[in-house]
Amino acid sequence: MRWSVAVMVWLAFALPARAQVAGEAQVPAAAAQAPAPVPAVVAPKLVTFVEAPYPAEAEQARLEATVRLKLTLDDQGVVTEAEVLEPQGHGFDEAARQAALSFRFEPARREGVAVASRIAYSYEFRLPVEPAPAPVVETPAPAPTPAPEAVAQPPAQPETPGVTAAPVDVSQEAIDVTVEGESVANRRRRSAEAVKVIETENLQREAVDMGQALARSEGVGVRRAGGLGSRARFSLAGLADDQVRFFIDGVPLELAGYGPDFANVPVNLVQRMEVYQGVVPVRFGADALGGAVQIVTTENLQGSGASASYEIGSFETHRVAASAQHVASASGLFVRASGFFDSSPNDYRVDVRVEDSSGKLSDARLPRFNDAFRAGGGGVEVGFLDKPWARRLILRGFASASTQEIQHDTTMKVPYGEVDSGNQSGGATLRFEHTYDGGLIADAVGGYVFRQARLSDQGRCAYDWFGRCVAELPQAGEMESRAVDRHVGQHTGFARINLGWSFTPNQMLRLAVSPTWVKRTGEDRALRNTGLVDPLSARRGLYTQVTGLEHELDAFDERLENIAFVKSYVQLARADRLSPDNSFMPVDRDTFTFGVGDSLRYRLSSLFIAKASYEWATRLPRPDELFGDGILIDANLELDPETSHNLNLELALDTRETRHGSFRGGVMGFARLADQLIIPQGREGYFTYQNVFAARALGGTGAAGWTSPEQYFSLDGNVTWQDVRNVSSEGAFGIFEGQRLPNRPHLLANGSARFQLSGLASSRDELSLTWHTRYIHSFYRGWEKLGTQDSKQDIDAQLLHSLALTYVTRTARATFSWTVDVQNLTDATAMDFMGVQRPGRSVSAKVVAEL
């Protein structure tokens, strides 16, 4: 602790200061006024001008007008929005707006990089000047009057005062430019944080779920135990499951109202994902061991609009997502609603071993049964934006529910016919954000969530893979020798409080405090009827608090950024344990620990950025690991926290556009030295989490991409190599010291190619064909040196392909897209872990509308 504080003090005063407001700040006024030999901002240049038809009503009335517009351009020079600033009526406004939406520009550039911008544009409608009357006798009759025309004239004065403006003369159009601040996504990429940013604009049009979208990134592994709604396992740089924390808009995933599994969060309600490799910023208040994933749904809260998507696919899959929001500009009132629904019987065919009438085993390919999944949910947000007392104050209420039938055990050896499970959750959150005088920033969210899980196993039949009842059981229950009807409820109150203070123009301190309270209740109704003591009725309470203090410094004309931080961890567990005499005895446990870290970024040149980051990370046991989930996990109240030394070294190519296209790429090496890892142990189906061994993960990732001029063609690829080994010489796994951890592939690769044509049926449409491929190297299901070579159980290498054809068309007020998506194009056998087979080839159609 002492040395980390000393480092922060030294960083605060040892390096020269430079004017910059941290976080969401804009360019300082002093910097904007400083002379420069080359302009930092280059205005957009009009490439395609569309002439507006002269309104018939105005022509008949001999009226003229100047329509002032505010155009919003993206970083490709496409006009995405045209707003009439001073309505003129008589058809002028709509004619000018429709024409402007078809303009095409060379995008604005800041220091050579294409950026989004807003421009003021005046579209003038002028009638032709009629010639003066002449004597009839001495001159011939005048020529017919030419048709009226609309011309664009330069505005008399700059139309956006107080910002950097640069007039550009293109065919007599003068444009006043307001270059928007750098996007949050780009700020994240160029910060000192070890983060990969995934934007979802194209993903939302494909028939993919959150798991598939994340799996295309380097360093990420996503493995599924079946089809839609099945359990998904996420890994990042060798560490997996709860060792990597998920957040939605800064709120832990399990408390955000989308269900407990990240893979089921609808992609069409998400604007971007941020994947943090091993080093987690203090603002999350996280006790993650291997990193974090932030899913952002609230990026754009300005303006009014709506969107909806519907997907229908193989295996009777249906997925719907919709959202709508309205902002009253005068009052700042904000209202938004969103919802989703997913459904599939998951009746795809799998390869199994079946018995004939003589008891002989043979191979068969049969459809799955008792594997249906349904999920739905929604939320409503109401609040205020951009008020003098709050930049954002929003109250959100939400609810969701899901049901999942369970067809077999975890190794797909024993089929079940009547086992099912479910999850329900509901709650509310209140979010507050504001910036005060003196450089103080406040960002806080808090709320309450109730979640209930259930497992029902009360069938009296034993089933075969054909879905037939082949024998009557001596008692109810297929999974064990008794019936199960478990219901577990969890009450959670939480808060995430972040305070930032810019005490000098180039330095900021951030304090984050994140308390969480959990109370668990439960009952096994089938067990209660036997008169035995129900372990689920035991007292269960947990208080966790993560506190972080962070110092950010920008120096050397913003070439260097350093973020140093310290964290403290507190966990107070209050619980009862069932003793051998069937009575409860109290077991209380208190944990206090801390961690430190640092992230450094240095811009080597205009093209290359170098990053280095380190964290001594701690992960506290989750409620399900300590108390069990009441479903398939038993309690262990003696778990110790996991710890790890996490190190990343990265070299990134800052995306640049050239006459040969735009290029991107980067390489990263990582190390994870983890101790007291928590893994499930026990017989398959029911298990207990234990601290079992220490592990060492070493590896590297690489990614490269290219987009051609005019965006006709783009290529992207990445590769991940990871070597995760047991380094424990003692304990249950001491005999496997030095061996790779089982059931984890060590080589992953992704590739994609996209071909796109624009302006087919209209000036604002596009047709694209996108191909994705994923390679997973073969791996062992058990320890690599256990058994003979012939007896080892392994998963073969897999090469999976998908192909999507998408058409997008844009009108003045809406964007529509249609997609046909083929997953697992070659119908390859796909298995992720424990021998559970995933779906074969599937075809989906998806339509998306944005208003």
Side-chain angles (χ1 to χ4, degrees):
M1 179 73 76
R2 292 179 180 174
W3 70 263
S4 61
V5 173
V7 169
M8 293 173 64
V9 173
W10 179 84
L11 287 172
F13 299 103
L15 294 176
R18 184 183 187 275
Q20 181 190 24
V21 177
E24 310 296 324
Q26 303 295 321
V27 178
Q33 297 170 0
V38 179
V41 174
V42 177
K45 181 180 180 181
L46 185 60
V47 175
T48 302
F49 174 78
V50 176
E51 182 176 341
Y54 210 99
E57 174 189 347
E59 181 185 354
Q60 292 175 1
R62 306 297 295 172
L63 298 176
E64 298 180 335
T66 299
V67 180
R68 295 179 65 245
L69 301 168
K70 181 173 70 175
L71 307 183
T72 301
L73 281 59
D74 63 16
D75 59 4
Q76 304 300 319
V78 175
V79 180
T80 60
E81 185 178 347
E83 179 183 352
V84 178
L85 298 178
E86 297 178 359
Q88 301 297 314
H90 306 288
F92 287 121
D93 304 331
E94 188 59 25
R97 184 175 179 275
Q98 289 282 358
L101 284 169
S102 298
F103 288 0
R104 191 64 181 258
F105 292 81
E106 288 185 5
R109 295 181 182 274
R110 178 192 282 119
E111 297 177 353
V113 180
V115 294
S117 61
R118 291 191 180 118
I119 65 174
Y121 193 95
S122 291
Y123 208 118
E124 295 200 358
F125 292 85
R126 294 289 178 263
L127 294 166
V129 178
E130 296 184 357
V136 176
V137 177
E138 298 181 4
T139 60
T145 302
E149 60 181 6
V151 296
Q153 300 285 345
Q157 299 293 334
E159 301 188 42
T160 312
V163 298
T164 304
V168 177
D169 188 3
V170 182
S171 301
Q172 296 185 345
E173 290 99 20
I175 303 172
D176 296 318
V177 183
T178 303
V179 176
E180 295 180 335
E182 186 178 23
S183 68
V184 176
N186 282 335
R187 283 203 299 273
R188 293 278 186 264
R189 292 186 182 101
R190 295 171 182 172
S191 72
E193 297 171 344
V195 60
K196 166 73 175 179
V197 181
I198 305 167
E199 297 183 89
T200 62
E201 180 179 1
N202 290 328
L203 290 172
Q204 290 180 356
R205 295 172 183 140
E206 298 180 24
V208 298
D209 61 23
M210 184 64 66
Q212 293 168 303
L214 287 168
R216 294 172 181 172
S217 300
E218 60 269 28
V220 172
V222 177
R223 302 156 70 198
R224 303 291 290 268
L228 182 67
S230 62
R231 179 173 57 91
R233 188 179 192 190
F234 183 90
S235 65
L236 182 61
L239 299 179
D241 300 326
D242 283 334
Q243 293 163 350
V244 180
R245 298 296 307 277
F246 274 79
F247 297 87
I248 296 183
D249 302 322
V251 175
L253 170 66
E254 64 273 17
L255 307 178
Y258 293 92
D261 199 314
F262 71 91
N264 296 327
V265 177
V267 172
N268 283 77
L269 299 182
V270 174
Q271 297 181 17
R272 73 169 186 276
M273 289 95 73
E274 302 167 357
V275 181
Y276 293 85
Q277 295 269 3
V279 180
V280 181
V282 301
R283 63 179 176 273
F284 291 114
D287 56 334
L289 190 73
V293 178
Q294 162 85 324
I295 299 172
V296 179
T297 68
T298 58
E299 182 76 1
N300 181 17
L301 299 185
Q302 303 301 319
S304 301
S307 66
S309 66
Y310 174 63
E311 174 189 335
I312 183 172
S314 300
F315 323 121
E316 298 181 49
T317 299
H318 300 269
R319 307 196 73 182
V320 180
S323 67
Q325 73 177 41
H326 173 69
V327 178
S329 56
S331 64
L333 179 66
F334 169 81
V335 180
R336 178 167 62 181
S338 62
F340 68 95
F341 176 77
D342 299 335
S343 174
S344 176
N346 286 319
D347 56 351
Y348 60 92
R349 291 181 174 271
V350 293
D351 298 316
V352 293
R353 301 274 288 171
V354 298
E355 290 185 0
D356 58 19
S357 57
S358 64
K360 182 180 179 181
L361 289 174
S362 60
D363 295 329
R365 172 163 284 196
L366 301 174
R368 291 170 68 96
F369 66 97
N370 193 53
D371 196 29
F373 172 76
R374 286 183 179 86
V380 176
E381 297 169 77
V382 179
F384 292 91
L385 303 176
D386 300 322
K387 305 299 289 183
W389 39 268
R391 187 166 64 90
R392 183 184 302 185
L393 179 66
I394 297 176
L395 176 66
R396 177 175 182 256
F398 58 86
S400 66
S402 65
T403 60
Q404 172 71 71
E405 297 174 341
I406 301 175
Q407 195 206 354
H408 50 70
D409 62 351
T410 56
T411 57
M412 201 172 162
K413 298 297 184 185
V414 180
Y416 304 141
E418 299 178 57
V419 182
D420 69 355
S421 64
N423 257 286
Q424 296 179 349
S425 68
T429 61
L430 181 65
R431 183 181 297 273
F432 172 81
E433 297 177 17
H434 196 50
T435 301
Y436 299 91
D437 294 337
L440 183 63
I441 299 173
D443 179 359
V445 61
Y448 164 79
V449 178
F450 175 73
R451 182 164 60 96
Q452 185 177 64
R454 65 170 181 84
L455 174 68
S456 178
D457 177 19
Q458 303 180 77
R460 288 188 171 272
C461 277
Y463 287 82
D464 64 8
W465 287 107
F466 292 93
R468 302 175 302 198
C469 177
V470 295
E472 185 175 347
L473 298 172
Q475 77 292 314
E478 300 177 68
M479 303 179 70
E480 55 179 297
S481 58
R482 71 172 183 88
V484 171
D485 186 15
R486 294 174 178 157
H487 298 258
V488 177
Q490 180 169 298
H491 303 265
T492 304
F494 69 95
R496 298 289 184 272
I497 303 168
N498 287 277
L499 299 175
W501 178 38
S502 296
F503 58 96
T504 69
N506 70 324
Q507 297 183 80
M508 173 171 275
L509 277 178
R510 297 185 183 92
L511 174 67
V513 182
S514 305
T516 304
W517 300 263
V518 173
K519 182 180 179 181
R520 181 74 64 85
T521 61
E523 63 174 342
D524 188 333
R525 297 172 184 174
L527 182 62
R528 181 183 58 189
N529 294 334
T530 67
L532 298 176
V533 177
D534 184 0
L536 296 182
S537 64
R539 178 178 58 115
R540 297 285 190 263
L542 190 68
Y543 173 79
T544 302
Q545 179 174 307
V546 179
T547 303
L549 180 64
E550 178 181 272
H551 174 267
E552 179 181 341
L553 170 72
D554 293 299
F556 302 133
D557 198 25
E558 293 189 0
R559 294 187 67 181
L560 181 143
E561 179 181 85
N562 190 82
I563 303 174
F565 61 86
V566 294
K567 295 180 181 178
S568 69
Y569 308 90
V570 176
Q571 188 171 71
L572 310 178
R574 302 292 181 258
D576 291 335
R577 174 186 293 162
L578 189 62
S579 64
D581 63 355
N582 278 332
S583 63
F584 289 117
M585 57 181 294
V587 180
D588 298 340
R589 185 179 179 89
D590 298 342
T591 301
F592 303 89
T593 185
F594 72 97
V596 297
D598 191 271
S599 297
L600 177 69
R601 182 219 67 202
Y602 188 76
R603 182 175 288 279
L604 300 174
S605 68
S606 61
L607 294 178
F608 292 100
I609 296 174
K611 293 184 181 183
S613 55
Y614 164 80
E615 181 177 0
W616 179 23
T618 295
R619 186 182 77 88
L620 302 168
R622 305 262 72 77
D624 284 352
E625 294 168 333
L626 285 170
F627 305 145
D629 66 351
I631 308 298
L632 300 176
I633 305 172
D634 291 328
N636 182 359
L637 302 174
E638 299 179 355
L639 286 175
D640 292 321
E642 298 175 310
T643 61
S644 180
H645 296 277
N646 297 340
L647 177 66
N648 303 303
L649 297 174
E650 182 179 359
L651 179 65
L653 172 66
D654 201 1
T655 303
R656 282 291 184 272
E657 291 194 9
T658 71
R659 60 190 181 94
H660 302 295
S662 62
F663 297 85
R664 54 196 170 271
V667 294
M668 186 186 78
F670 61 83
R672 308 285 185 264
L673 309 178
D675 196 12
Q676 296 293 324
L677 286 180
I678 299 173
I679 67 169
Q681 284 190 293
R683 64 189 180 91
E684 294 169 352
Y686 291 92
F687 47 84
T688 303
Y689 282 96
Q690 303 278 356
N691 295 107
V692 292
F693 56 73
R696 180 265 295 151
L698 300 176
T701 66
W706 168 76
T707 300
S708 70
E710 304 297 327
Q711 294 189 316
Y712 290 125
F713 196 71
S714 64
L715 293 171
D716 283 280
N718 63 68
V719 63
T720 300
W721 175 82
Q722 55 192 21
D723 187 68
V724 189
R725 294 182 182 270
N726 173 29
V727 294
S728 296
S729 58
E730 300 178 354
F733 295 94
I735 59 174
F736 303 116
E737 182 182 11
Q739 296 186 31
R740 280 199 178 106
L741 267 61
N743 209 30
R744 300 186 189 219
H746 66 274
L747 182 62
L748 306 168
N750 294 279
S752 68
R754 177 182 174 88
F755 177 70
Q756 176 178 300
L757 289 175
S758 301
L760 298 177
S762 70
S763 61
R764 304 185 70 229
D765 71 352
E766 62 188 44
L767 179 70
S768 63
L769 183 66
T770 307
W771 166 78
H772 293 282
T773 187
R774 179 167 177 81
Y775 173 77
I776 306 167
H777 196 62
S778 61
F779 57 95
Y780 292 118
R781 289 169 52 186
W783 293 98
E784 57 183 331
K785 294 184 180 178
L786 191 64
T788 64
Q789 187 64 36
D790 294 337
S791 66
K792 293 180 187 293
Q793 293 183 321
D794 61 359
I795 303 294
D796 292 334
Q798 300 169 61
L799 184 63
L800 307 176
H801 306 276
S802 67
L803 195 65
L805 180 66
T806 301
Y807 177 73
V808 182
T809 183
R810 300 175 177 88
T811 67
R813 300 183 181 275
T815 299
F816 300 94
S817 69
W818 297 266
T819 298
V820 177
D821 199 322
V822 183
Q823 297 288 325
N824 197 350
L825 188 64
T826 59
D827 200 24
T829 300
M831 291 186 180
D832 278 347
F833 56 88
M834 301 300 287
V836 180
Q837 193 168 337
R838 294 185 56 197
R841 182 189 298 115
S842 63
V843 180
S844 300
K846 185 175 182 179
V847 59
V848 181
E850 301 171 72
L851 306 178

